[in-house]
Every structure is written in C-alpha cells, then in structure tokens.
Amino acid sequence: MTIPLKVALSGFGTSGGARLAGYRSVTGADVVAVVEPGVRSRERAAGLLDGGRVFASLEELLASPTGASLDVVDICSPPVFHVPQTRAALVAGTHVICEKPVAVTGEEARGLVELARSRGRLLFPFHNYGTSPVMRELSAAVEEAGIGRLESAVFRILRDRHARGVAGFAPDWRRSRELAGGGILLDHGTHCVYMALRLFGRPPKAVSCTVGRAGGDPLAVDEEARVRLDFGDAHCEISLSWISGVRSNHYAVHGSGGWLRIDDGVVEGAAGGSTYRRNLVSPSKDQTHLEWFPPMYREFRQVLADPDSWHRPATEIVETARVVECAYASAAAGGSEVPL
C-alpha cells in the first residue's frame, strides 16, 4: 500500500487549480494546503480543498503545524517566485516539485540543486511535456523505431496569443518581465529545450537565437523566437510565436536511417524501408494538459524512491536553464552563436 505524501500547492492560478485536480486523479497524494496571495483565488481554493488549509504566503504555511508535517511543496506560481519559494521549501525540509522554468539562469539552477543535495531532498521539475503523447512518439522514433543516429530535430510551436492566467491575478503576467522573467522563449521554449536534451541525450555545444518583441521595444518580453541548438554532429531548430494568428504544433526528427514528423494529431514516418501514417491523440487544447499529470507524478514517485537517481532531474534543471540563458545572450548579441 502506498502511503500518501502530504502536498502543499504554492500558487492557485491556472496551474495550481489544474494541479489540485491532477492530484485527485492519482493515488499516493494528499493535498493538505494551498498558498495563494490573491483573495479571490484563495477563496476559490478554500471551496475546493477538502479539509485542507489555505494560507496567504509560503512563509506562513511553513511556520505552521501543517507546514511542519509536509512532504512536498509543489510550486505553481509565476517564474519570478520559483527560486525563492523553492529555496524556502528546501530549507524547511520538504521535497519540491517546481513548475518550469525552475530557474532562469544556470547559476540560480546550480544553487538550488546544491541546496537540495545538502538538505537531502529531491528537487523535481514539472516538465510535463516529457510525458506527453508527442514526446513518447519522438522518443520511440529515436530509441526504438530504427531512424538511426539522430541528426536533426525541428520544433515549431505557433500560437495566436499567450496563455492567460486567472482574472484575480494579472491574467497577462506572461507579458510582464517583472513576473515572468522573459517571454515565449522562457515560457514554451523551456519545454522545447528539455525535450531536445532528452532526445539528443546531451547538452548542445553552442546556441544561437533571435527574438522579436512587440513594436521592437527592447523592454518588452519576447513574443517570437528562433533558436538553433548545435550538438556538433547534429542540430535542433526551434521556432516559437505568440502572434502567428494560428495554433499549431509541428515536431520532426531525422536520423541516418529514417524520419518522423508530427503535425498536431497526425504522425508520419519512415523507417526500415517503409513509411507509415497514423493518428495521434491530438495535443490538448487546454493549456494545463491535465491528462499528462498521472504519468509525470508516477515518474516523480519512482525517482523519489531511488535517491541514486536524483541527479537526473537535477542535471536537466541546470542544463535547461543554461541553454535558455545562452539563447537570451545570443539574442542580445544579434543572434551570434554562444558556446554553452
């Protein structure tokens, strides 16, 4: 029998509300508290949380008897809060699951990883695209389906707007540098980066990037980005937009012996001298992708049970932050290649 972990959610906007529903769909988790500074969202959490407690700040929770009994803090707040809240939860002695990006810079990421290690706690990234149907198809093509040595990948994510938050708290926070820390490159680009790291099995040697900002304003967050990850003998091209006028997802991998591409709900490929085409469960149109939560939580529990494996999510957190940081450095330098 699995003993439930006592979980607190820090942040109860779109992600936090979805996470509460996600925990209810799995065994071995008991959400006992929610942290939410916004009055309206706090009231909504209180109405949904069976027997749990609601707090206005993480500090208030961690200082309470409820905080003293916690196993996990799941951080669902905007990016600017990720590092300080992760640090506070680790210092208090809990494991941490953190929404992406866990950190904005490699230095921040390494600091959190070292703190988690020193406290004997697991720091686990909420990299939910890692358990998506798309990622399963791509991984199978690279690892099992005979496309040979991976030579290139293309990710093209087009949107007609940014994902919006709840009405009670800055619904357009993704366009706020003060709350988001960056634009689409930091937001959806983080997903693409850790997916590439998993597929290629190593960090790139160099990164180049250009971005577009609203009205060309250097103080605005990026709403478009084009990134190239150079792995030496292979590369990955990433294109992102919040202003394309359409919503579409394109992923492709090419190897020495075949290829696979995914356009929304259609998978096509060639391997072993034959081609194929089939339908895929279409990527969720819901930005929370709730159906991806159960496999991600199972992965968290498996890693938690094996401390010898804790270095794997730690490495992914650091390498993802380093790549995104180098991409922004390249964009600031006009697209010049930046070594990792």
Side-chain angles (χ1 to χ4, degrees):
M1 179 179 178
T2 301
I3 298 175
L5 295 175
K6 293 183 179 180
V7 180
L9 302 178
S10 184
F12 204 69
T14 302
S15 294
R19 207 87 102 237
L20 177 59
Y23 279 112
R24 287 174 172 169
S25 70
V26 300
T27 58
D30 181 16
V31 178
V32 299
V34 166
V35 172
E36 171 53 51
V39 175
R40 288 172 58 185
S41 293
R42 199 158 62 240
E43 291 173 349
R44 182 168 63 94
L48 294 172
L49 194 61
D50 299 329
R53 297 193 61 197
V54 179
F55 297 83
S57 71
L58 183 59
E59 292 74 18
E60 180 186 352
L61 165 63
L62 294 176
S64 73
T66 301
S69 67
L70 285 176
D71 298 301
V72 182
V73 173
D74 187 340
I75 296 171
C76 318
S77 53
V80 69
F81 302 112
H82 292 181
V83 170
Q85 290 186 349
T86 295
R87 187 179 292 119
L90 291 172
V91 168
T94 76
H95 303 293
V96 173
I97 299 173
C98 185
E99 180 62 73
K100 59 79 191 166
V102 178
V104 175
T105 69
E107 182 179 3
E108 286 181 339
R110 283 188 291 269
L112 293 178
V113 165
E114 287 301 321
L115 177 59
R117 184 178 294 120
S118 69
R119 297 284 172 160
R121 293 296 179 264
L122 172 61
L123 173 56
F124 191 86
F126 192 81
H127 287 174
N128 60 338
Y129 272 68
T131 53
S132 67
V134 164
M135 189 62 186
R136 288 198 295 270
E137 291 283 347
L138 295 172
S139 297
V142 171
E143 299 168 6
E144 306 165 14
I147 70 167
R149 183 181 63 83
L150 180 58
E151 297 176 339
S152 67
V154 176
F155 304 155
R156 185 173 66 246
I157 311 299
L158 303 180
R159 299 289 184 265
D160 56 0
R161 60 178 176 84
H162 62 281
R164 289 174 60 82
V166 296
F169 175 83
D172 293 319
W173 64 261
R174 279 181 171 82
R175 284 188 174 272
S176 165
R177 186 182 296 276
E178 290 72 23
L179 292 174
I184 194 170
L185 173 57
L186 185 61
D187 186 41
H188 205 105
T190 293
H191 290 306
C192 294
V193 168
Y194 68 71
M195 290 172 71
L197 293 174
R198 294 188 186 191
L199 291 173
F200 286 91
R202 62 193 189 278
K205 294 179 179 294
V207 181
S208 55
C209 174
T210 58
V211 300
R213 306 178 191 274
D217 181 358
L219 298 180
V221 300
D222 43 289
E223 56 187 9
E224 294 181 295
R226 295 182 64 86
V227 185
R228 179 182 173 90
L229 308 181
D230 182 358
F231 292 89
D233 60 348
H235 66 274
C236 178
E237 305 282 349
I238 301 170
S239 299
L240 307 163
S241 178
W242 277 336
I243 56 172
S244 67
V246 299
R247 179 187 177 95
S248 69
N249 305 278
H250 169 81
Y251 300 89
V253 287
H254 290 78
S256 57
W259 54 270
L260 176 139
R261 65 172 172 256
I262 305 170
D263 288 287
D264 292 320
V266 178
V267 180
E268 296 179 286
S274 62
T275 61
Y276 55 89
R277 176 187 172 96
R278 63 176 179 271
N279 290 329
L280 175 71
V281 175
S282 183
S284 174
K285 302 301 183 184
D286 178 358
Q287 71 188 67
T288 64
H289 306 292
L290 187 58
E291 69 274 18
W292 303 350
F293 183 86
M296 197 224 71
Y297 184 73
R298 286 195 298 271
E299 181 181 327
F300 165 71
R301 290 301 298 251
Q302 289 166 0
V303 173
L304 182 62
D306 179 19
D308 288 341
S309 70
W310 289 8
H311 68 280
R312 293 201 297 269
T315 298
E316 185 168 286
I317 288 169
V318 172
E319 290 181 348
T320 299
R322 289 177 63 212
V323 171
V324 174
E325 182 180 15
C326 285
Y328 275 117
S330 171
S336 299
E337 190 172 76
V338 174
L340 202 62

